[in-house]
Amino acid sequence: MYSVSGYREMIADRIRSAAYLESLRQTVRADSIVVEIGSGLGLFAIEAARLGARQVFAIEPANVIQISREIARVAGVADRITFIQELSTAVELPERADVIVSDLRGLLPLFQQLIPSIIDARERLLKPGGVLIPDIDTLWAGPVEDPDQYRRVSSWDDLAEGVDFASARRVVANTWWKGRVRPESFLSTPQSWATLDYKKITEPDVQGKLEFVVNRNAQMHGWALWFDTNLHGKVGFSNHAALPELIYGNAFFPLIAPVDLMEGDRITFRFRADLVDDDYVFCWDTQIVGPDCENKADYRQSSFFGNPISATQLIKQASNFVPALSEVGKVDRRILELMDSHRTIEEIAAIVFAEFPTTMVTKQKARNQVSKLSREYAR
Ligand SMILES: C[S@@+](CC[C@H](N)C(=O)[O-])C[C@H]1O[C@@H](n2cnc3c(N)ncnc32)[C@H](O)[C@@H]1O
């Protein structure tokens, strides 16, 4: 969930915004139907309307949509923009779009439901031959020497005398973060490891393998990952470290431990991104081989280990687990049953307060829970 200032920062990234606006100028015609998925403050929807689109559908589940309605009204284009507060995957439109524009990325395009949402929009909301913006995102990786970034891992080594924090260090070494790398940090020329062609993509899981030859004697601390985009035709932008920094930045994936490298060493990089529930689990394997084929490192890392989870929680997710509803679950089930178009929130709260006095200890607690489920599930 972004703050209003967060949406402002996206628009304030001039390189990103200019590229998106140019791609709209190249694709929106008088009479176009345009859909913006994840419209935020509505800049791209407003631009599409200004370019003459007959109808624009601005789809955004977050409350920021209320502000974008007002901005569109002040811009004088509200009559041609239909704002829909929903996830695009839950929306039916009266007609299919000529252009669908979105920026659902996080630091990388491998973010939450971006790929399933674009696949769904392409299949259900886009005319045959219609334009998707972005068109293609390309994922890049390069091995880097970056002791400053790596402090986040190595600082656990001497944290407190007499206490070994190796378990905490291991968690952090299996975590990735936003970190700007310097172009001179690369130990070999970066390469692209996957291409997301939104016209064709059918699966959210992505993987790639790269081979690098080290170009100087140095220490390796991790991997820098980023993406380039082709929004439409030749219009796009890149998050390469040598270019001006954009809002997305670079992702830094640390090694378990730094490795001393010699020029000519060979590094094999394997990367997997698997969408699990609502977000990705990333796995990055690093194998480093010296001149006589001796193994210098063979690390297998995963963001799964960067998220400590108790055995109890894991067992509850196993496919052979037989779940039973907790007391809180029973209350929620009852509230959902009672949301049958006949009772007010106050009436439902009174019933569950009477039926579950040990869980719903006050009427206010019952009211809050009913309101919460109403916000989430009521029509
Ligand atoms: C990175 S912001 C982009 C905002 C604005 N389009 C811009 O580029 O300045 C992504 C927005 O997409 C919304 N979003 C994510 N998935 C969505 C979906 N499937 N349908 C509609 N909106 C979605 C989020 O709530 C968020 O506001």
Side-chain angles (χ1 to χ4, degrees):
M1 185 78 81
Y2 300 99
S3 64
V4 176
S5 303
Y7 287 109
R8 194 205 73 86
E9 279 173 37
M10 295 173 208
I11 294 173
D13 179 337
R14 301 279 170 198
I15 295 175
R16 184 195 83 109
S17 295
Y20 265 94
L21 295 178
E22 176 56 25
S23 64
L24 288 172
R25 281 193 281 276
Q26 291 191 8
T27 52
V28 176
R29 310 268 167 266
D31 223 36
S32 292
I33 303 292
V34 178
V35 170
E36 180 172 12
I37 304 178
S39 48
L41 287 171
L43 177 67
F44 303 152
I46 290 169
E47 180 67 10
R50 281 185 168 156
L51 287 166
R54 173 161 55 88
Q55 184 65 54
V56 181
F57 296 97
I59 308 174
E60 170 60 64
N63 287 335
V64 67
I65 198 166
Q66 311 302 348
I67 308 173
S68 63
R69 273 199 181 100
E70 180 59 16
I71 296 170
R73 193 189 60 72
V74 173
V77 290
D79 57 326
R80 272 177 298 122
I81 305 181
T82 305
F83 289 93
I84 306 172
Q85 187 165 13
E86 253 305 355
L87 279 172
S88 57
T89 44
V91 167
E92 306 274 346
L93 293 181
E95 53 186 320
R96 288 183 177 235
D98 300 283
V99 178
I100 295 185
V101 60
S102 66
D103 184 355
L104 306 180
R105 309 178 189 94
L107 210 155
L108 296 172
L110 303 169
F111 184 65
Q112 297 177 348
Q113 296 291 328
L114 180 154
I115 295 177
S117 299
I118 292 189
I119 294 172
D120 169 76
R122 184 186 70 205
E123 302 301 318
R124 290 191 313 109
L125 308 179
L126 188 67
K127 281 182 187 165
V131 174
L132 279 175
I133 303 170
D135 181 20
I136 296 175
D137 283 346
T138 305
L139 292 150
W140 293 80
V144 292
E145 175 174 49
D146 198 332
D148 296 338
Q149 299 270 2
Y150 201 75
R151 283 288 301 154
R152 199 185 281 216
V153 179
S154 60
S155 58
W156 290 95
D157 295 340
D158 51 6
L159 185 60
E161 218 169 304
V163 181
D164 185 351
F165 283 96
S167 310
R169 184 194 199 277
R170 205 163 27 249
V171 169
V172 179
N174 282 287
T175 309
W176 62 282
W177 59 84
K178 180 173 179 168
R180 180 72 171 165
V181 295
R182 292 180 303 276
E184 59 274 19
S185 308
F186 289 114
L187 301 169
S188 186
T189 306
Q191 301 177 47
S192 71
W193 60 272
T195 297
L196 311 180
D197 183 342
Y198 296 114
K199 297 182 295 301
K200 299 185 192 146
I201 197 163
T202 54
E203 294 296 329
D205 299 343
V206 181
Q207 55 181 302
K209 179 184 169 194
L210 295 173
E211 306 276 349
F212 294 90
V213 178
V214 174
N215 60 18
R216 63 191 159 94
N217 300 349
Q219 202 170 44
M220 177 174 170
H221 296 96
W223 294 97
L225 267 73
W226 67 94
F227 75 94
D228 290 353
T229 187
N230 283 83
L231 293 178
H232 179 74
K234 289 189 169 29
V235 181
F237 50 79
S238 168
N239 289 282
H240 190 291
L243 295 170
E245 186 168 10
L246 307 181
I247 182 128
Y248 314 94
N250 307 141
F252 184 78
F253 287 75
L255 296 184
I256 290 282
V259 183
D260 291 325
L261 300 180
M262 302 283 284
E263 185 179 344
D265 286 352
R266 283 173 293 119
I267 313 177
T268 304
F269 170 74
R270 284 192 190 78
F271 197 89
R272 278 191 69 91
D274 295 306
L275 185 61
V276 179
D277 295 336
D278 209 23
D279 221 337
Y280 278 89
V281 173
F282 295 110
C283 298
W284 60 107
D285 297 348
T286 309
Q287 191 178 26
I288 304 177
V289 177
D292 300 323
C293 290
E294 75 278 18
N295 238 350
K296 288 191 163 187
D298 194 355
Y299 298 149
R300 283 152 212 275
Q301 291 169 260
S302 171
S303 57
F304 180 78
F305 302 117
N307 179 19
I309 180 165
S310 74
T312 327
Q313 285 167 306
L314 270 181
I315 288 166
K316 283 187 186 171
Q317 295 175 33
S319 55
N320 59 354
F321 180 70
V322 182
L325 264 189
S326 66
E327 276 310 295
V328 178
K330 285 177 190 165
V331 173
D332 284 358
R333 178 176 62 189
R334 183 72 176 125
I335 294 171
L336 292 172
E337 267 170 18
L338 292 165
M339 283 169 45
D340 60 359
S341 314
H342 292 107
R343 296 177 181 84
T344 63
I345 284 181
E346 193 60 37
E347 288 164 347
I348 298 173
I351 295 171
V352 291
F353 177 56
E355 290 181 4
F356 298 92
T358 46
T359 317
M360 293 288 114
V361 285
T362 63
K363 189 91 178 278
Q364 187 57 43
K365 187 168 180 196
R367 210 178 279 125
N368 290 347
Q369 188 60 10
V370 179
S371 299
K372 182 171 162 242
L373 293 183
S374 173
R375 274 199 305 277
E376 206 156 328
Y377 298 112
R379 276 193 275 119

